[in-house]
Amino acid sequence: DARVTQTPRHKVTEMGQEVTMRCQPILGHNTVFWYRQTMMQGLELLAYFRNRAPLDDSGMPKDRFSAEMPDATLATLKIQPSEPRDSAVYFCASARYSNTGELFFGEGSRLTVL
Amino acid sequence: AQKVTQAQTEISVVEKEDVTLDCVYETRDTTYYLFWYKQPPSGELVFLIRRNSFDEQNEISGRYSWNFQKSTSSFNFTITASQVVDSAVYFCALPSRAGANSKLTFGKGITLSVRP
């Protein structure tokens, strides 16, 4: 049963530390998304890639966040330096085709920044 | 700008009751898709349905049905004979812009609790 895999599932860190979240999309999916979920803002799209190329990262705070796809099996989201307001659940999702809207989500990485 | 409003934040029902989750949207696009996703306690969002704005016929899948009304910009979701396993957060979504159907704007979600 193909799934999107995210690591770590939980991360507690102190303000100022670097945080890296990783995602393995479903094999064969050419589009990868990073979403952030908070109680206040709900689900927000941070960035997405098609065929490993960044298509849109307008939802991402550029000064501290960066997203990359080093290869087709790995997407990373990095926060440096982390701040308490970054505490959230970060979801990776992948899609077989870039334009269907049918996204397959991972279980999320719950980040707590103290 | 695209907007999805899910006015109900929490709904609690007893098993076997029918329940309707409301979704109202705003878009300037003439053609568009609408979506529902389910987020069970395990956390990952699960795709339920995609609906094209051309097609206003109701959609039924087992105990789930969707009522799309373009005139009122609503895309409501009904669960018939609810079960405890239906307990989850349900999100309605709309593409952020025409032609980018995978760049979704989600509503705030409705938490459904089904009690035995």
Side-chain angles (χ1 to χ4, degrees), chain A residues 1-21:
Chain A
D1 196 20
R3 327 186 60 151
V4 174
T5 304
Q6 290 186 246
T7 57
R9 292 293 315 280
H10 301 273
K11 175 76 175 178
V12 179
T13 191
E14 294 192 347
M15 184 173 65
Q17 296 297 305
E18 177 178 303
V19 175
T20 299
M21 289 168 275

Side-chain angles (χ1 to χ4, degrees), chain A residues 20-68:
Chain A
T20 299
M21 289 168 275
R22 293 177 173 80
C23 167
Q24 181 175 8
I26 293 174
L27 191 64
H29 283 195
N30 73 350
T31 310
V32 175
F33 305 81
W34 283 104
Y35 277 87
R36 176 170 64 184
Q37 185 177 34
T38 61
M39 289 294 292
M40 291 299 295
Q41 301 297 328
L43 278 159
E44 304 171 280
L45 178 65
L46 297 176
Y48 78 106
F49 296 78
R50 183 192 299 159
N51 295 324
R52 295 177 54 202
L55 277 194
D56 189 336
D57 61 2
S58 58
M60 204 163 65
K62 302 288 193 308
D63 56 338
R64 299 181 301 106
F65 284 61
S66 61
E68 295 180 346

Side-chain angles (χ1 to χ4, degrees), chain B residues 5-9 22 110:
Chain B
T5 301
Q6 297 182 263
Q8 306 150 308
T9 53
D22 297 334
I110 302 169

Side-chain angles (χ1 to χ4, degrees), chain B residues 19-36:
Chain B
V19 58
T20 296
L21 310 180
D22 297 334
C23 172
V24 173
Y25 62 92
E26 293 176 30
T27 179
R28 284 179 288 187
D29 297 331
T30 51
T31 61
Y32 47 90
Y33 285 95
L34 292 161
F35 302 82
W36 276 93

Side-chain angles (χ1 to χ4, degrees), chain A residues 2-6 23-35 45 47-50 69 72-75 91-107, chain B residues 37 45 47 102 104:
Chain A
R3 327 186 60 151
V4 174
T5 304
Q6 290 186 246
C23 167
Q24 181 175 8
I26 293 174
L27 191 64
H29 283 195
N30 73 350
T31 310
V32 175
F33 305 81
W34 283 104
Y35 277 87
L45 178 65
Y48 78 106
F49 296 78
R50 183 192 299 159
M69 277 202 76
T73 64
L74 177 64
F91 287 101
C92 176
S94 69
R96 183 174 179 82
Y97 303 107
S98 61
N99 219 29
T100 64
E102 184 174 352
L103 277 56
F104 293 79
F105 281 78
E107 292 181 313
Chain B
Y37 276 80
L45 280 82
F47 169 86
S102 290
L104 298 176

